[in-house]
Each structure stands twice: as structure tokens, then as C-alpha cells.
Amino acid sequence: MALLMRLLLTITLVVIMIASGAKLSDSARVFTIINYCDETIWPGITPGENFGGGGFELKSGRSIVFTAPISWSGRIWGRTGCNFDKTGNGSCQTGSCGTTLQCGAAGKTPASLAEFTLASPDFYDVSLVDGFNLPILITPVNGTGNCSRAGCNSDLRPNCPKELAVKSGNKIISCRSACDAFGTDQYCCKGTFGNPVTCQPTFYSKKFKEACPTAYSYAYDDPTSIFTCSASDYIISFCSSSKQKVCTYHDHKVICSGSKGLKSFGGRWLALIFAFMVIINL
């Protein structure tokens, strides 16, 4: 029954996309956000005008699609342990952006961040500089250039150093950065450590980097952490594996990671194909 419901919901999502008849221009980017976690999450996005107002509920196994103009620059993260009322007021255990469902400000640390600057080319990265609360991966599709996956598909919480661990009861719900925990110039790359020469990896940032080699582990971790891609769509997946194929739908084509795009077969068939490709990865 659960699988059938996911299939019906996914087909509904794609049919709505097709029925809208909106053909995306080259200046728009398609963002597909997928929740592979075992729990409901509440993505937060700033600025959120193009993303459902900046915050929404995303149940396990569900996905949602947005488009953003080439000028958009912002961040996407996941919130956990949230409880909102019908008016959108409430709170979250991690990643909270205040007391509202829709975020108008950055999330509270610690939180894993997907960061974008859409231009020509686009710049994107996943940052753990503000700590970690959920595995998050950026997968570019149908773009040109380097277009590598960025992010962290490892869960840092079980092995988080106890001095950085944030708990709810006996459960570790997030892992702070050393800067957030200790606030020193060395860990925060400020003062005399405010440049790439003097600010070097620390014991804690090395642990983050070992677990997540394509994510920022400290402020000047640029060479292996920031990526570029031109005219790409992006899939932001929470709690996915690095080898997991993920798909999106753009300009009447189903496009998956590791693919340069698929030919159009017609709206109804594409809806079924896209639904199936999403479902088999859940």
C-alpha cells in the first residue's frame, strides 16, 4: 500500500508539471528535492520566493520540483524534528529558521547546507562549516563542464565527537562544527587565522573531510569542495547513497544522473517512466 501511494503521488506530481505547459527557458534551473531519509524533513530555502516560500514538509520517499532564475543565489538545508500548526507556526530540533514553516532567514547551526550561485557557469557546494544535521548531496544533470557531485552521503551523527554532539534525550540529532562549539579564531578562521595560509585543517575538520571528501569542512577548504557546471538542473537529495541514480524532469525529458538526457516520448508516457524511475530508487 505504501509503495502504491508513493507511485500515485509521484505520477500526480509529474502530471501537474506536464499539464502546466510551462516550457523552461535556458535561463531557468530545475531543482528537484528528494527525501530518502527514514523520517519526515522540512527543507528550508533562502531566499525562498521560487521555492514554495522558503519552507515546506517533505515526507520520507517524496520529492518536489521548483525552478529558479539564473540570478538566484542561496542555500538549501533540511530541518528535523519539526512541529508546525495549521498556520505554519512551530519549531524544529535542528536547522530551525525561527518559529515559522517558511524561512526568511538562515537556519540555526548546526546544519548541513547546499549552496548555489546560478550564473554562467553555476557555482555550487555542500558546506559543513556550520556543522552537520543530515546527509545531503547535490547531483547536477544535463549540464556541461565539470558537473561533479558535491556533498555528504555519510551520517556524521553516530561518530560525532562527544564535545560536538547535540542530543535530544540519548539520541545525537546533530554534530556541531568546532567553530560553533569553541568559537576560537583558529577554528573559525578569523583574526590572524583569517586567510587560507594561516587557517589550516584541524583535528575536527579532518574528521568531517574524511567522512565527506566533497564537502566543505572548514572555511578555506575550496579546492576539493566548490564545483562549477553550466546550464544544469540540480537534484538535492537527503540521505541518498553516492551510487544512487536520481532523476528529474525538464523540458519534456526525463533526465537522470549519469545521463545527457533522454528523448521525449510524449507527456503521458514520460509521467509513467519518471514515476517508475523515482520509485525504484526509494
Side-chain angles (χ1 to χ4, degrees):
M1 178 62 74
L3 182 61
L4 177 61
M5 289 301 297
R6 288 181 183 178
L7 177 60
L8 291 173
L9 286 167
T10 304
I11 291 174
T12 300
L13 169 64
V14 179
V15 169
I16 290 171
M17 291 163 57
I18 295 170
S20 68
K23 184 173 181 179
L24 301 170
S25 69
D26 290 338
S27 62
R29 304 286 189 261
V30 176
F31 284 75
T32 302
I33 303 174
I34 307 175
N35 179 14
Y36 287 110
C37 304
D38 294 331
E39 60 182 308
T40 298
I41 63 173
W42 289 259
I45 304 173
T46 58
E49 290 80 4
N50 298 287
F51 296 88
F56 47 89
E57 179 184 282
L58 193 62
K59 293 183 178 180
S60 177
R62 304 287 177 84
S63 63
I64 191 167
V65 179
F66 299 101
T67 61
I70 195 171
S71 59
W72 186 76
S73 179
R75 53 177 51 183
I76 300 171
W77 70 98
R79 293 172 289 175
T80 64
C82 300
N83 185 14
F84 294 104
D85 62 23
K86 293 181 179 180
T87 64
N89 293 314
S91 61
C92 300
Q93 287 185 329
T94 73
S96 176
C97 60
T99 59
T100 59
L101 173 63
Q102 296 183 332
C103 294
K108 182 180 178 181
T109 60
S112 320
L113 303 175
E115 302 176 311
F116 294 87
T117 296
L118 303 184
S120 184
D122 300 336
F123 290 81
Y124 60 96
D125 67 84
V126 165
S127 174
L128 306 181
V129 174
D130 290 332
F132 175 96
N133 70 329
L134 283 173
I136 182 171
L137 197 65
I138 299 172
T139 303
V141 287
N142 209 37
T144 59
N146 184 0
C147 300
S148 298
R149 277 184 166 183
C152 182
N153 50 54
S154 298
D155 192 344
L156 275 61
R157 291 171 292 186
N159 298 313
C160 180
K162 62 180 181 180
E163 58 270 32
L164 303 183
V166 178
K167 293 184 176 182
S168 176
N170 293 322
K171 181 181 178 181
I172 298 176
I173 58 174
S174 59
C175 190
R176 302 172 72 183
S177 69
C179 173
D180 188 35
F182 308 123
T184 66
D185 286 359
Q186 179 184 7
Y187 288 131
C188 296
C189 292
K190 62 184 182 180
T192 58
F193 293 92
N195 64 76
V197 175
T198 57
C199 186
Q200 294 295 310
T202 65
F203 167 79
Y204 297 106
S205 68
K206 288 178 180 178
K207 289 185 71 68
F208 279 26
K209 195 66 175 179
E210 181 180 350
C212 305
T214 58
Y216 267 94
S217 59
Y218 72 104
Y220 291 104
D221 189 15
D222 299 271
T224 59
S225 306
I226 192 166
F227 299 91
T228 60
C229 191
S230 296
S232 176
D233 296 327
Y234 295 97
I235 301 170
I236 297 89
S237 49
F238 292 92
C239 306
S240 65
S241 70
S242 60
K243 295 181 180 179
Q244 195 161 26
K245 179 174 285 189
V246 286
C247 301
T248 187
Y249 180 82
H250 185 184
D251 201 14
H252 304 290
K253 295 178 183 179
V254 176
I255 305 167
C256 298
S257 57
S259 170
K260 293 184 178 180
L262 302 178
K263 294 181 179 179
S264 173
F265 296 101
R268 293 183 180 179
W269 282 107
L270 275 173
L272 293 172
I273 293 170
F274 182 49
F276 176 73
M277 297 180 82
V278 172
I279 291 300
I280 61 175
N281 285 293
L282 297 181

